[in-house]
Amino acid sequence: MRRTDAGSANAGSGDKSSAGGAGQTSQPTRRSERAAPLVGRLHPMNRVRRMTGFKVTGFKVTMFVAAGLGTGLLMACAPAPAARTADPASATQARSRQAVAQLPAPPSGNTASGNTASGNTASGNTASGPAPTGPAARSTVALAATPVTSVDAASPRVSLRADSAMTAPLLATFTASLPADGTASWQFQGGETATGASVSHVFYQPGRYSVQATLTAGGRSYLATLPLEVKSGGPEQAAAVLLQDSGSLALSALGSVVYAPYTPSFMLGGRATTPQRQPLQAGTHTVQVGIDAPSGTLTRSYTFRSGAALSEAELARRQEYEADVLRLTNAARAAGWDCRRQAYGGVALPPLKSDAQLTVAARAQSVGMALNGYFAHRSATDGSLPDARIRASGYRPASDAENIAAGQPTPESVVSAWLKSPGHCPNIMGNYDDIGVAYARQDGSPYGDYWTQVFGRK
């Protein structure tokens, strides 16, 4: 029998779990997850989503809000053996004994990306636990621009995309849907202007703003005003996202709260460094980020463990495992795996494309967990959540999600576990276009094998 421990999580708190007896499901808990070591764990997290909209009547803009709350789920599968030895081989065998569920086989004759279900079945391959995070918080604002002369049902539309927290400093992207001959100009408070169908603007200070859009389409002029309230992000503070890989590191100051434009500086081991990826020896390191802000000089330090660069054999194994996870994930989508019914025959979905930036975000998560001994969506080294790692990698998502797992020894076992999880499966079968997959192995760590899927749609 396997055990699942369910807990709840949200975007603003740490990941949760509690221990339960064999073959039982525990009650959700909001305590920080510090249960006894388990093998075959996976983790999903759904975050709050909010949609804010505007509609135009004449020249009056009315705001309306529709809110939806996602749920969080933490699942821990397969209790660890009563005693674990330091011998890597025996530890691997112990993990293998925990896995009993099989990878769901698609209907006979069905193929996905050229991969049939046979060969992906559980014959000899075990499956275990589940792990995901739901769509990241985003706010999409849409309005129909009002013509200067009269209201037209076919008038162009303007949308705003920004983080739903709406806190400063806020990066917002304004987009106008226009015909080929259409034009758009934007005026921001403070006299700044921009032109183009899609423009971005940073609101550094909290407050109430008004953005005016002047559009032309089909020989007609349109005018729209978007009211916008940007909330305070709290006291100014420096922050960093550590994008770890085996034997290397890249840095970002994303997550810092600074109410003015700034250029961060970084120090690694007491020496000035750049945010670009650089080789890193195995061991314990300290990174410091510094920012000259309106309130003064801000600094913050992070201590973390780094591993050695992978050998050729280790790199080949990682690449093979990650390719298999992508293949099995797309096989489930193509065969129409139904998360609710736990059977094939649902709506077939297009394959996810491997994305280099999302892979960087996934790698930071898997490597970070393996080297620093934690299992959570929130990094124990820098405090970042999935959306921060995704944006620090350079990917600008309209929506994103993350699945994590630990202790599953094979791609088949981890994908099977995710598909069987009511929290993780919807991410695999979700409305995403891109994916990053990362596998990390660390002998002597609590779970040995660590897996991450990061999903994105621009």
Side-chain angles (χ1 to χ4, degrees):
M1 298 288 292
R2 300 185 63 77
R3 187 186 75 192
T4 61
D5 293 342
S8 60
N10 58 40
S13 63
D15 302 308
K16 318 290 193 291
S17 175
S18 65
Q24 300 177 351
T25 300
S26 69
Q27 293 299 314
T29 175
R30 290 193 176 275
R31 300 294 251 163
S32 293
E33 193 269 319
R34 288 292 183 271
L38 299 174
V39 179
R41 304 179 55 200
L42 302 95
H43 197 299
M45 183 180 68
N46 291 325
R47 303 178 64 191
V48 176
R49 303 186 69 186
R50 185 182 72 181
M51 179 172 290
T52 305
F54 298 90
K55 65 180 180 180
V56 179
T57 306
F59 291 101
K60 181 180 179 181
V61 181
T62 305
M63 183 173 76
F64 61 94
V65 177
L69 181 63
T71 59
L73 175 65
L74 167 63
M75 301 189 67
C77 301
R84 297 185 62 183
T85 70
D87 174 62
S90 62
T92 301
Q93 292 168 2
R95 280 192 300 276
S96 297
R97 286 196 296 271
Q98 306 306 314
V100 293
Q102 293 187 337
L103 180 70
S108 173
N110 272 358
T111 63
S113 300
N115 299 318
T116 62
S118 64
N120 299 334
T121 61
S123 150
N125 288 327
T126 55
S128 49
T133 84
R138 286 289 182 280
S139 178
T140 301
V141 177
L143 68 84
T146 303
V148 172
T149 53
S150 63
V151 176
D152 185 347
S155 61
R157 299 184 67 84
V158 174
S159 64
L160 158 66
R161 193 176 80 194
D163 190 273
S164 65
M166 300 298 284
T167 56
L170 179 72
L171 173 62
T173 299
F174 299 87
T175 303
S177 61
L178 297 167
D181 63 345
T183 65
S185 61
W186 312 82
Q187 184 169 347
F188 303 94
Q189 285 180 230
E192 295 181 65
T193 60
T195 59
S198 182
V199 300
S200 294
H201 184 79
V202 179
F203 297 89
Y204 285 101
Q205 298 282 339
R208 296 179 181 272
Y209 294 89
S210 178
V211 179
Q212 189 174 84
T214 303
L215 316 174
T216 63
R220 305 182 70 184
S221 295
Y222 299 81
L223 180 66
T225 301
L226 289 76
L228 190 68
E229 182 176 1
V230 180
K231 302 174 184 177
S232 172
E236 290 190 311
Q237 61 178 347
V241 177
L242 311 183
L243 297 173
Q244 284 191 260
D245 197 346
S246 298
S248 70
L249 174 72
L251 299 166
S252 168
L254 192 143
S256 299
V257 178
V258 183
Y259 298 126
Y262 67 92
T263 301
S265 62
F266 297 96
M267 298 187 73
L268 177 61
R271 296 184 177 182
T273 188
T274 67
Q276 281 72 38
R277 186 163 298 278
Q278 55 195 288
L280 200 61
Q281 293 183 342
T284 301
H285 303 272
T286 299
V287 163
Q288 183 182 77
V289 57
I291 297 173
D292 289 329
S295 60
T297 301
L298 311 174
T299 61
R300 190 167 181 179
S301 297
Y302 303 87
T303 299
F304 65 99
R305 290 186 59 206
S306 175
L310 299 182
S311 66
E312 289 186 9
E314 291 170 329
L315 184 59
R317 182 192 188 202
R318 184 175 82 174
Q319 292 172 339
E320 177 187 357
Y321 275 20
E322 291 172 355
D324 282 348
V325 169
L326 176 59
R327 174 174 56 82
L328 294 168
T329 296
N330 280 333
R333 289 173 63 88
W337 178 253
D338 189 308
C339 298
R340 183 181 60 84
R341 294 190 302 110
Q342 287 289 291
Y344 288 98
V347 178
L349 299 174
L352 299 170
K353 301 183 295 293
S354 179
D355 182 87
Q357 292 173 326
L358 292 183
T359 299
V360 168
R363 186 90 64 223
Q365 175 69 336
S366 287
V367 172
M369 291 190 296
L371 290 172
N372 295 282
Y374 67 93
F375 180 77
H377 287 290
R378 184 183 293 278
S379 168
T381 58
D382 60 24
S384 65
L385 285 167
D387 187 59
R389 293 187 290 272
I390 291 168
R391 289 184 290 127
S393 75
Y395 190 96
R396 184 82 189 281
S399 61
D400 57 69
E402 179 183 84
N403 286 349
I404 61 174
Q408 294 75 21
T410 65
E412 290 81 4
S413 63
V414 73
V415 174
S416 174
W418 280 330
L419 289 174
K420 290 170 183 277
S421 163
H424 303 75
C425 184
N427 284 345
I428 291 178
M429 303 303 294
N431 182 25
Y432 300 104
D433 301 318
D434 306 313
I435 187 174
V437 176
Y439 166 76
R441 167 76 193 172
Q442 183 66 26
D443 292 333
S445 62
Y447 308 107
D449 304 284
Y450 295 81
W451 309 82
T452 302
Q453 288 178 313
V454 174
F455 305 88
R457 179 172 57 84
K458 294 182 178 179

